[in-house]
Amino acid sequence: MSRPSPVVAPELLGCYLLRRFADGSVIRSRIVETEAYAPGDPACHAYKKQTARNAVMFGAAGYAYIYLIYGMYHCFNVVTDAEGLGSAVLIRAVELMEVPAWFTATGKWARLGSGPGKLCRVLGIDRTLNGIQLNPDQPLWLEIGPTPTQIIQTTRIGISQGVELPWRWYDPTSPAVSKPCIKKL
DNA sequence: TACGGGATCTGT
DNA sequence: CAGATCCCGTAA
């Protein structure tokens, strides 16, 4: 992951995101949608300078950058590239591999991880996990998984600058992708 | 110290 | 398409 985020982002598709809760239970999810944010990119939180909020992005690769957006949702990023370079990959959607018992009753869980805010909510990811290293000793980590047979590259979502950069990737066969096609290449 | 916008989501 | 809701960067 110690490489530029536009290189890492498509590679994270198909990888597993694992979350261990306080009671020891673990939920495995599969990453199906990512976006890259990098130095020189006006949409990147680390575009201007290092601040208290974006400090983790300037650190070493393989750490979690988590922030609060619109006062009520969290977004989870994987920090990439060398120290000093503020860059990260936003995880925009996951598929749940193991659905917790308290969900099975409710029925529709295919799209529970469909969106950066929704996946954080369902996996209980908030700012208390900001800055942790992503390894199995922590409540949040990654594992290699099978690469999708098909990957679509498009422009990013929800930003007002850097709109033209084609730094969003997703697995078109997944029902969990947040917005199937914004602008295909 | 004040102000305002933001890598979102839901219900109308 | 408006509303919820709050943190933090920027300017004063």
Side-chain angles (χ1 to χ4, degrees):
Chain A
M1 290 183 283
S2 188
R3 287 164 296 135
S5 53
V7 172
V8 177
E11 293 180 356
L12 283 177
L13 294 179
C15 287
Y16 298 115
L17 172 64
L18 292 100
R19 169 73 162 112
R20 180 166 41 238
F21 295 92
D23 68 352
S25 64
V26 171
I27 292 184
R28 173 182 298 259
S29 64
R30 178 174 172 274
I31 297 173
V32 297
E33 182 180 351
T34 59
E35 280 180 2
Y37 291 85
D41 160 21
C44 182
H45 285 178
Y47 181 52
K48 292 182 178 173
K49 60 173 184 178
Q50 183 168 337
T51 65
R53 178 175 74 152
N54 65 24
V56 180
M57 290 184 80
F58 287 90
Y63 284 74
Y65 168 53
I66 300 163
Y67 63 92
L68 180 67
I69 188 69
Y70 299 124
M72 58 188 81
Y73 294 100
H74 293 270
C75 289
F76 166 65
N77 298 251
V78 177
V79 175
T80 69
D81 220 322
E83 285 190 54
L85 298 179
S87 51
V89 173
L90 170 70
I91 307 302
R92 278 199 61 91
V94 300
E95 270 175 27
L96 300 182
M97 305 279 95
E98 291 129 23
V99 181
W102 38 281
F103 275 151
T104 52
T106 73
K108 12 188 329 191
W109 35 268
R111 292 182 62 80
L112 277 177
S114 175
K118 292 171 74 177
L119 75 90
C120 283
R121 193 180 53 185
V122 72
L123 293 179
I125 297 173
D126 60 32
R127 288 181 311 160
T128 63
L129 299 177
N130 184 43
I132 66 167
Q133 188 173 22
L134 298 169
N135 74 49
D137 296 328
Q138 297 288 347
L140 208 53
W141 71 100
L142 298 168
E143 285 179 10
I144 299 295
T147 304
T149 53
Q150 208 181 146
I151 292 177
I152 303 283
Q153 181 178 10
T154 69
T155 53
R156 295 174 293 180
I157 291 180
I159 53 175
S160 53
Q161 301 181 51
V163 176
E164 75 292 345
L165 291 171
W167 285 356
R168 171 172 178 249
W169 292 266
Y170 66 87
D171 173 356
T173 69
S174 171
V177 169
S178 64
K179 315 216 166 159
C181 212
I182 296 302
K183 192 192 285 183
K184 234 173 171 177
L185 294 188

